[in-house]
């Protein structure tokens, strides 16, 4: 598992908040140029894990390597794109002005900036709303501006926290097509979280997270095969039940990390 | 420090303001209206108008910039854009410097309008050069921006941020020498007045009212105001964290 093919590598990763563990002893790897889905119920630690990877999370212990550097290294700041759950863009700027500013922060020279902004707007299909005030757009449109910001500067790793929540089916399909295009054509590594299990089928690999622990790290096909289930949702439920049974029988703390 | 990123930040802040013409109008017009009001309140005692008017020319930009900056940075913190910027290659000094530049530019316009109106139309009589009033007003605006940035770290909502204005600025207003000369205050209050930055903002302006040319005290007062602003800015920078719990 320890090789250069991994964009992100974690071993014994732990995060505490208020003295309590939020993430407990996570070890996994994200292969380069692939889409990995981070799945699990609300509050299981998905956002915390993503914040740890982009270097926004305090009190992270264990090993966490991102693109060959320790997570949060200053050199990574222009190589990793990050989209939070709530759209983090300026409501009192237009979409274009938002993108223009963040492109400047990423260090794009003034000449190249307009083209980069146009490309990002096209990627998220917002060219027609480019000059509307962000605050007057719908929640889904604001989310797409936020996503477009993360696409600026051609990041090698994209960390997307529930980017498809609240979007209509057509848009969701288009965004997933975009993620695949980014992975296949530009070699971008994508980590995308969701609590909607049917999105899991669109990922190359999955991390199943529950209560801050890793339940499984596998491809959707192998996960279903291994658990003898028809959908990833059923596989997830199967693993949760299995973990409960083990914990109940042995009366030991949960040790449920399955290895593929 | 990166000049391009700092300028981009300043341009972004000004663009945000440009989408909010009512705020711009309030920032520019309200001080002028208040100064005009002051003129007629002190119609019978022009000397009082001269000293109070000059002091207020320093105090208005301080208050306006404090309010605008504390709300703007609070929004930056709560909207998630600060977290995003901190995950990008933007230095804290570039962010703070960008804000200071943008609001500084607004302060120049505000101070120019207020000073111009007072000296040219309302007949504010100062011994020194009106340009020195402008310089003083700018230093005070800078102090307001820096204090606003600093206190925004302690506000969790816009309600709290607005309440910091009376909490932080009104005691300074009472003790700065506008109502009672600083020398005539009780020793304890005088001592308190001596350690509050707004006192020096007002002292500096009164130097211009009473003396021709740039006095040593004017320079000292200005240096104290700028020093306090830099200190608040440094403390504000310390509250910007790349990693948060």
């Amino acid at each position: 598992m320890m090789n250069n093919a991994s964009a992100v590598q974690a071993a014994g990763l732990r995060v505490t908040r208020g003295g309590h563990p939020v993430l407990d002893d996570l070890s996994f790897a994200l292969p380069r140029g692939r889409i990995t889905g981070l799945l699990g119920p609300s509050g299981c630690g998905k956002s915390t894990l993503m914040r740890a990877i982009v270097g926004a999370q305090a009190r992270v212990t264990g090993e966490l390597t991102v693109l060959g550097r320790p997570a949060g290294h200053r050199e990574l700041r222009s190589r990793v794109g990050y989209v939070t759950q709530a759209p983090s863009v300026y409501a009192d700027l237009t979409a274009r002005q938002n993108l223009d500013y963040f492109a400047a922060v990423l260090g794009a020279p003034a000449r190249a900036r307009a083209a980069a902004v146009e490309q990002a707007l096209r990627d998220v299909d917002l060219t027609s709303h480019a000059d509307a005030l962000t605050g007057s757009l719908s929640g889904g449109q604001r989310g797409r501006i936020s996503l477009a910001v993360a696409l600026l500067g051609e990041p090698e790793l994209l960390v997307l926290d529930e980017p498809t929540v609240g979007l209509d089916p057509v848009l969701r399909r288009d965004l997933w097509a975009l993620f695949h295009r980014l992975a296949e054509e530009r070699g971008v590594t994508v980590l995308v979280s969701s609590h909607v299990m049917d999105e899991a089928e669109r990922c190359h690999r999955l991390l199943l997270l529950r209560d801050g622990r890793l339940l499984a790290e596998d491809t959707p096909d192998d996960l279903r095969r291994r658990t003898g289930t028809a959908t990833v949702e059923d596989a997830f439920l199967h693993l949760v039940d299995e973990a409960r049974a083990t914990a109940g029988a042995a009366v030991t703390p949960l040790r449920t990390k399955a290895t593929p | 420090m990166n000049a391009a990123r700092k300028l981009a930040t300043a341009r972004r802040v000004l663009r945000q303001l440009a989408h909010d013409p009512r705020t711009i109008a309030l920032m520019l017009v309200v001080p002028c209206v208040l100064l005009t009001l002051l003129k007629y309140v002190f119609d019978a005692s022009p000397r009082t108008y001269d000293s109070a008017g000059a002091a207020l020319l320093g105090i208005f930009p301080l208050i306006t910039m404090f309010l605008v900056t504390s709300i703007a940075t609070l929004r930056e913190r709560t909207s998630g854009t600060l977290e995003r910027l901190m995950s990008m290659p933007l230095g804290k000094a570039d962010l703070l410097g960008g804000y200071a530049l943008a609001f500084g530019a607004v302060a120049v316009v505000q101070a120019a309008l207020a000073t111009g109106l007072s000296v040219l139309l309302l007949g504010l009589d100062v011994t020194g050069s009106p340009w020195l009033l402008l310089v003083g007003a700018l230093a005070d605006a800078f102090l307001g921006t820096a204090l606003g940035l600093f206190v925004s770290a302690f506000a969790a909502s816009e309600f709290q941020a607005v309440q910091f204005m009376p909490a932080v600025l009104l005691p300074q207003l009472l003790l700065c020498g506008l109502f009672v000369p600083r020398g005539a205050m009780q020793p304890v209050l005088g001592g308190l007045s001596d350690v509050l930055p707004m006192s020096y903002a007002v002292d500096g302006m009164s130097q211009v009212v009473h003396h021709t040319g740039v006095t040593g005290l004017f320079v000292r007062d200005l240096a104290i105001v700028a020093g306090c602003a830099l200190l608040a800015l440094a403390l504000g920078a310390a509250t910007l964290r790349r990693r948060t719990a």
Side-chain angles (χ1 to χ4, degrees), chain B residues 199-220:
Chain B
S199 309
Y200 299 93
V202 169
D203 279 1
M205 295 307 236
S206 80
Q207 285 292 313
V208 184
V209 175
H210 299 296
H211 303 278
T212 50
V214 182
T215 63
L217 279 176
F218 177 75
V219 173
R220 187 207 66 176

Side-chain angles (χ1 to χ4, degrees), chain A residues 51 57 90 92 105 146, chain B residues 5 16 76 84 243-244:
Chain A
R51 283 169 45 81
Q57 181 67 41
Y90 299 101
D92 45 2
V105 168
S146 195
Chain B
R5 292 193 171 106
Q16 285 179 285
E76 189 101 71
R84 168 164 249 158
R243 285 182 185 271
T244 52

Side-chain angles (χ1 to χ4, degrees), chain A residues 17 51 55-59 71 77 82 88 90 92-93 97 100-102 104-105 107 113 133 146 149, chain B residues 5 8-9 11-12 15-16 19 75-76 79-81 83-90 95 242-245:
Chain A
R17 192 185 293 134
R51 283 169 45 81
Q57 181 67 41
R59 290 181 205 88
R77 284 178 204 150
Y82 171 43
S88 42
Y90 299 101
D92 45 2
L93 289 181
Q97 289 172 337
D100 182 64
Y101 172 55
F102 287 111
V105 168
R113 222 149 65 207
L133 209 57
S146 195
V149 172
Chain B
R5 292 193 171 106
T9 302
R11 191 176 55 229
R12 184 263 295 175
R15 276 178 170 173
Q16 285 179 285
H19 285 291
R75 277 193 197 162
E76 189 101 71
S79 70
T81 47
E83 180 173 318
R84 168 164 249 158
L85 289 173
M86 289 290 99
S87 78
M88 286 184 167
L90 180 72
L95 180 65
R242 295 225 186 244
R243 285 182 185 271
T244 52

Side-chain angles (χ1 to χ4, degrees), chain B residues 77-142:
Chain B
R77 286 174 203 273
T78 51
S79 70
T81 47
L82 181 67
E83 180 173 318
R84 168 164 249 158
L85 289 173
M86 289 290 99
S87 78
M88 286 184 167
L90 180 72
K92 294 171 190 174
D94 297 333
L95 180 65
L96 295 178
Y99 266 103
L101 267 182
F103 288 139
V106 178
V108 170
V109 179
Q110 189 201 52
L113 278 177
T115 311
L117 175 83
S118 302
V119 174
L120 299 178
L121 291 180
L122 300 178
L124 183 79
D125 190 15
V126 292
T127 316
S129 159
W131 291 105
L132 292 180
L133 289 180
L134 202 59
V135 173
L138 271 180
D140 299 342
F142 180 47

Side-chain angles (χ1 to χ4, degrees), chain B residues 128-171:
Chain B
S129 159
W131 291 105
L132 292 180
L133 289 180
L134 202 59
V135 173
L138 271 180
D140 299 342
F142 180 47
L143 175 66
T145 298
L147 286 176
L149 269 168
F150 176 59
V151 302
S152 78
F154 304 98
S157 68
E158 298 193 355
F159 283 142
Q160 292 179 10
V162 173
Q163 292 305 320
F164 270 115
M165 199 280 275
V168 173
L169 293 189
L170 285 195

Side-chain angles (χ1 to χ4, degrees), chain A residues 132-146:
Chain A
L133 209 57
T134 303
S136 68
L137 296 174
S138 74
Q141 288 166 328
R142 261 178 279 173
R144 276 187 284 155
I145 300 174
S146 195

